[in-house]
Amino acid sequence: MRHKWIRTLAIALGAVLALPLAGSAAQDLDLSKDCSLTVSPGGEETAAELAQAGVVVDLYKVAEAKAGSGADAYGFQMLEAYGSLTAGEGLDKEDWQRLAQEAAEIALGVAPGTEAKLPIVAGAPLGTAIADSDAAEALTPGLYLLIARGSDVEDYVTTIPGEDGTESIVTVAYSKEHTFRFAPELAAIPSKEADENGVISSANPGDWMYDLTVYLKPDREERNGSLEIIKDLLTYEDSYEATFVFQVEAVLDGELVYSDVVSMTFNAPGEQHVLIDKIPVGAEVTVTEVYSGAGYSLIAGPDGPVIIGADEVVSVTFTNDYDNSGNGGHGITNHFEYDPENGEWIWVQE
C-alpha cells in the first residue's frame, strides 16, 4: 500500500464551511474520538429547492488521520485507492480544490485506468448526521470526499470549462426551475473554525471540532425550454407571397419574461417551423396570430396558453387556408427589446 503524508493539517474548503456544534469545550487533539458530519443546504429558500431537487450526498473516505509531529497537529495517510494523491504543508484554497478534483476523478472512475469506487455512505439526506456504512457507527478521523447529487439523476457527473481552458468535474441536480452544480469537496475531521480569510488550519485558534456541519453552496442556473411555432398552410395563391405574423408573450410568476414578434413567409403550401429558445421553465406562453396573411384565414389554432417544460420543446400549431378574397400583401417583422432604464419593452421594426 502506498502512503502519502502531510505533517500538519491545513485545509481550505471552497464551497463548504465547517462549524462547531453548540456546547463544545476547549480540548487537546484526540484522534481516538468518534466524529460526525452533517451536510446542510443553508438557508430556508435553498433548503426547499434542494429538497425539491432530491439532493443527497455520497461520502468517500480518502485518508486516515495520523498523529503529526506536533502535539496539536495531525497528518493524513492516504488509503490505497487514493495513493497517487499528493498533499503537503502550506496548501491554499486553490490547492485543496485541485486535490478535491483529483480525488473525485478517482472516486467517480473518471481518471484513466480507474473504476468508480463505492462510497462509505451513499445517498445520505441533507440535514442529518452522516455515519459510517453502518448507521450505528461514527466516522473516524480522516479526510473525506463529499459528492452532492440529485437522487433521481442517473448521469449526474459532468464537466464545466474553466477560465484557464481546463475542465472541472461537477455533479448535478435539478429542481423544477433550476439546475444545481456541485463541486466535489474535501472535509477533514476533526477540524477547526475558519480564520478571517476563510482558511481552516490546525494553526487556527480554538477547539478541535469532531462534529462538523458543512453547508452546500452550489452554482444555480435557470432551466430553460423552447417553443416551436408550426404554421400549416393548406392552399397557396401564387400571385403574392403569404406572410403570417405571431405575437409571443411568456409570463412567469406574474412577470413578463419574454415578448417578441415572429413571422413566416410562404411561396408554396406546406409547413414552416420557428423555434424560440431560452424561455424560462414554468412560463405560461401565449402565441397569437396577429396577421393571417392577405387573402388567408386562420381555420385552426392552439386551444390556449402552453407551459414551458425543462429541456423540451413545446409546440403550438396554426392552420391557414386561402379564403378566395383575392387580396394581396406583404409583411414586415418587428420585435421587442427590453429597455432596463425605463423598465419597459420597446417595439422595434426590423
Side-chain angles (χ1 to χ4, degrees):
M1 179 182 298
R2 298 173 59 193
H3 295 160
K4 300 287 183 179
W5 290 84
I6 60 174
R7 292 189 177 276
T8 60
L9 172 65
I11 183 164
L13 304 182
V16 296
L17 175 63
L19 296 178
L21 296 184
S24 59
Q27 52 189 300
D28 293 333
L29 176 64
D30 184 355
L31 296 182
S32 67
K33 275 183 170 289
D34 291 337
C35 303
S36 69
L37 177 64
T38 301
V39 182
S40 292
E44 293 184 4
E45 182 178 349
T46 302
E49 196 167 6
L50 292 184
Q52 181 193 103
V55 176
V56 296
V57 175
D58 295 336
L59 191 67
Y60 299 81
K61 190 165 189 179
V62 175
E64 294 281 1
K66 296 295 180 181
S69 57
D72 200 40
Y74 70 87
F76 297 128
Q77 182 176 341
M78 296 293 177
L79 301 185
E80 182 175 11
Y82 302 91
S84 61
L85 300 183
T86 301
E89 297 183 17
L91 298 186
D92 59 18
K93 178 179 178 179
E94 287 71 26
D95 292 328
W96 282 103
Q97 290 173 340
R98 171 190 53 77
L99 190 63
Q101 283 287 320
E102 294 174 357
E105 289 181 358
I106 296 171
L108 300 173
V110 176
T114 63
E115 295 182 357
K117 309 298 184 292
L118 290 176
I120 63 169
V121 179
L126 299 184
T128 60
I130 299 177
D132 211 332
S133 54
D134 179 351
E137 296 181 11
L139 300 176
T140 57
L143 185 64
Y144 293 87
L145 174 69
L146 286 72
I147 300 292
R149 59 180 175 85
S151 59
D152 58 350
V153 182
E154 184 175 354
D155 298 321
Y156 56 85
V157 181
T158 186
T159 58
I160 56 173
E163 294 181 357
D164 59 357
T166 61
E167 292 191 331
S168 299
I169 293 174
V170 294
T171 48
V172 298
Y174 303 102
S175 69
K176 180 181 178 181
E177 297 178 355
H178 293 96
T179 296
F180 293 93
R181 295 185 178 89
F182 303 90
E185 296 295 339
L186 290 171
I189 313 175
S191 188
K192 286 192 174 184
E193 287 193 82
D195 63 16
E196 63 276 8
N197 298 315
V199 176
I200 301 172
S201 169
S202 61
N204 291 358
D207 301 334
W208 285 103
M209 301 179 296
Y210 300 87
D211 301 296
L212 304 185
T213 296
V214 299
Y215 290 92
L216 294 176
K217 294 184 179 179
D219 288 331
R220 188 179 74 167
E221 182 180 55
E222 189 175 72
R223 298 183 76 183
N224 293 317
S226 300
L227 172 75
E228 181 184 42
I229 304 174
I230 303 171
K231 165 59 69 179
D232 184 11
L233 182 61
L234 301 180
T235 306
Y236 173 69
E237 201 288 313
D238 61 6
S239 297
Y240 303 94
E241 289 185 335
T243 298
F244 303 89
V245 182
F246 306 89
Q247 172 72 50
V248 183
E249 291 192 339
V251 176
L252 180 63
D253 298 330
E255 178 184 354
L256 185 67
V257 294
Y258 182 91
S259 182
D260 205 350
V261 174
V262 298
S263 67
M264 301 182 198
T265 298
F266 286 75
N267 53 23
E271 278 191 2
Q272 288 191 28
H273 301 241
V274 170
L275 185 66
I276 302 173
D277 292 321
K278 297 185 177 180
I279 300 178
V281 166
E284 181 180 86
V285 182
T286 301
V287 184
T288 306
E289 187 170 289
V290 295
Y291 178 69
S292 298
Y296 296 87
S297 297
L298 177 67
I299 62 174
D303 295 331
V306 294
I307 304 299
I308 298 299
D311 306 319
E312 66 179 18
V313 178
V314 179
S315 298
V316 293
T317 301
F318 295 82
T319 303
N320 290 66
D321 203 1
Y322 183 61
D323 61 13
N324 296 305
S325 67
N327 295 326
H330 66 280
I332 59 174
T333 299
N334 301 272
H335 74 279
F336 283 91
E337 293 182 354
Y338 185 70
D339 181 0
E341 183 175 347
N342 298 315
E344 61 183 12
W345 294 86
I346 301 174
W347 197 20
V348 180
Q349 180 177 315
E350 292 183 334

